[in-house]
Amino acid sequence: MTDEQSWGRVVALHSRVEQELAKALQRKHGLGLSEYRALSHLTVAEGGCLRMQDLAGAIGLNQSSVSRMVARLEDAGLTVRDLCENDRRGVYSLITDDGRERQAKAEPTYQDTLRGALDKAAADPELAEAVAAMRA
C-alpha cells in the first residue's frame, strides 16, 4: 500500500469518527464538536481558562473561528471572556460552572460514541488497519 493510500484511509477514518461524534453531541447535548473540545480543554486548564490563541491551537481552529465559537459558548453561559492580568492585550476564555456541568454530562456520550465509531470502523476491511495502528 502506498503512503497516499494509507493516508487516504486515515483521513476516511477521521472523517467518519468526527461525523458520528458531532451528531451525537449535537443531538444529546446541543454542543458542536469544537465546542465540546473547547470545554474539555478549559475544564483541565489551570484556573479553567486559556488564552484565546492557545485554545485555538488546542482544538485546531483559526483565531476567527475560535472567536465565533467562544461567542456561542458565552451566549449559552458556558464560558466568559476575561482580560489577561499580565498582558492587557491578551484575552482569555474562562469556563463557567454551567460549562463544567455541560462538559461532564457530554463526556460519556463522547467516549461511548468514539469507542463505537472506532469499533465499527475496525470491522471495515478498508479501515481496520488504521484503527489497529491507532489503538496500538
Side-chain angles (χ1 to χ4, degrees), residues 8 13 15 23 26 32 53 59 61-62 87 90 108 111 114 119 122 128:
L13 173 63
S15 177
K23 286 178 192 175
Q26 187 63 52
Q53 66 190 38
I59 60 176
L61 294 177
N62 62 40
D87 176 6
Q111 297 297 333
L114 176 60
D119 289 346

Side-chain angles (χ1 to χ4, degrees), residues 38-59:
L39 292 175
S40 293
H41 283 285
L42 290 169
T43 296
V44 299
E46 184 177 336
C49 66
L50 286 171
R51 195 173 179 147
M52 294 287 281
Q53 66 190 38
D54 295 332
L55 183 59
I59 60 176

Side-chain angles (χ1 to χ4, degrees), residues 35-134:
E35 293 167 341
Y36 169 79
R37 288 185 173 141
L39 292 175
S40 293
H41 283 285
L42 290 169
T43 296
V44 299
E46 184 177 336
C49 66
L50 286 171
R51 195 173 179 147
M52 294 287 281
Q53 66 190 38
D54 295 332
L55 183 59
I59 60 176
L61 294 177
N62 62 40
Q63 191 70 34
S64 176
S65 295
V66 85
S67 291
R68 287 190 305 272
M69 180 203 57
V70 167
R72 289 191 305 272
L73 292 172
E74 288 175 333
D75 289 346
L78 304 177
T79 64
V80 294
R81 287 184 208 218
D82 196 12
L83 292 176
C84 174
E85 290 180 18
N86 301 330
D87 176 6
R88 288 293 174 193
R89 296 172 298 162
V91 178
Y92 281 75
S93 183
L94 174 66
I95 193 166
T96 63
D97 289 341
D98 287 346
R100 286 183 187 280
E101 184 178 331
R102 179 83 71 88
Q103 188 279 335
K105 287 181 179 177
E107 185 171 6
T109 299
Y110 181 89
Q111 297 297 333
D112 292 345
T113 303
L114 176 60
R115 187 172 23 269
L118 290 172
D119 289 346
K120 190 173 6 173
D124 181 336
E126 292 290 315
L127 301 176
E129 191 174 326
V131 174
M134 190 206 67

